[in-house]
Amino acid sequence: MNYFVMVCEGKHPVAPINVSPRIPGWMLGRVVDTPAELPLQYVLNPKYPGNPKAMYDEKSVPIMHDSVRVALEAAGVSNIQYFDAALSNPLTGEIRNDYKAFNIVGLVACADMAASQMMGTSSSTMGDADFHSLVIDESKTGGALMFRLAENISAIVVHKQVKDAITAAGLPGFVFYGPGEWSG
């Protein structure tokens, strides 16, 4: 088992992002143009105070802490675009510049559809397919270290080498789902 779906749940209590930029084309696996205004502005939700996560991937333009970027680069990941970002906390007034917006370049269609279990909530099997349990067909990954799953672009798939680098760096809140464990 060499591939995992990577999710950052954060460290409790988690401060969700309330405002993020809306730029078309992010999360589609292709190169995006550099935004006109940098740094990209993010605002934490003041209704839910807590700790910022090391990586947010729930908004149209995802961001990660510099420590995650360093771990990914150390693992050999080279297919990510990074852009300056500012993460502000309206409760404390703090503005953090140690985050980068990121865009993973590469979609890989590698779900083992025979071994995976679909939810049946979408008629699509590409882009927004819903899984009860996902199994990766490793023969279709081309050895990529990190990519978005073509069948469900919200899934970030990483090689064991990346999982090991994130774990070794001691970055909090990361969860790695193996075969049949991820649903989304």
Side-chain angles (χ1 to χ4, degrees), residues 113 118-131 151:
M113 299 307 270
M118 302 298 293
M119 284 186 190
T121 55
S122 172
S123 60
S124 173
T125 58
M126 282 295 170
D128 63 351
D130 294 321
F131 293 91
E151 292 87 350

Side-chain angles (χ1 to χ4, degrees), residues 78-116:
S78 61
N79 61 319
I80 301 180
Q81 291 180 278
Y82 295 103
F83 302 96
D84 290 337
L87 178 61
S88 61
N89 184 334
L91 291 176
T92 65
E94 177 185 24
I95 298 176
R96 298 186 61 162
N97 294 306
D98 54 348
Y99 279 81
K100 297 278 190 239
F102 71 95
N103 178 45
I104 300 169
V105 179
L107 290 180
V108 178
C110 61
D112 182 335
M113 299 307 270
S116 298

Side-chain angles (χ1 to χ4, degrees), residues 108-177:
V108 178
C110 61
D112 182 335
M113 299 307 270
S116 298
Q117 183 181 8
M118 302 298 293
M119 284 186 190
T121 55
S122 172
S123 60
S124 173
T125 58
M126 282 295 170
D128 63 351
D130 294 321
F131 293 91
H132 275 301
S133 65
L134 170 69
V135 177
I136 299 294
D137 180 344
E138 295 189 16
S139 71
K140 295 180 179 178
T141 64
L145 295 177
M146 183 175 191
F147 54 88
R148 289 195 180 276
L149 182 69
E151 292 87 350
N152 183 320
I153 63 171
S154 68
I156 295 175
V157 179
V158 298
H159 188 274
K160 183 180 183 308
Q161 181 174 322
V162 175
K163 174 186 180 285
D164 291 348
I166 296 282
T167 303
L171 301 174
F174 281 90
V175 179
F176 298 91
Y177 295 99

Side-chain angles (χ1 to χ4, degrees), residues 21-28 30-33 35 60-61 103:
R22 301 285 179 207
I23 300 172
W26 290 73
M27 294 179 63
L28 297 178
R30 55 184 180 243
V31 173
V32 296
D33 294 331
S60 67
V61 183
N103 178 45

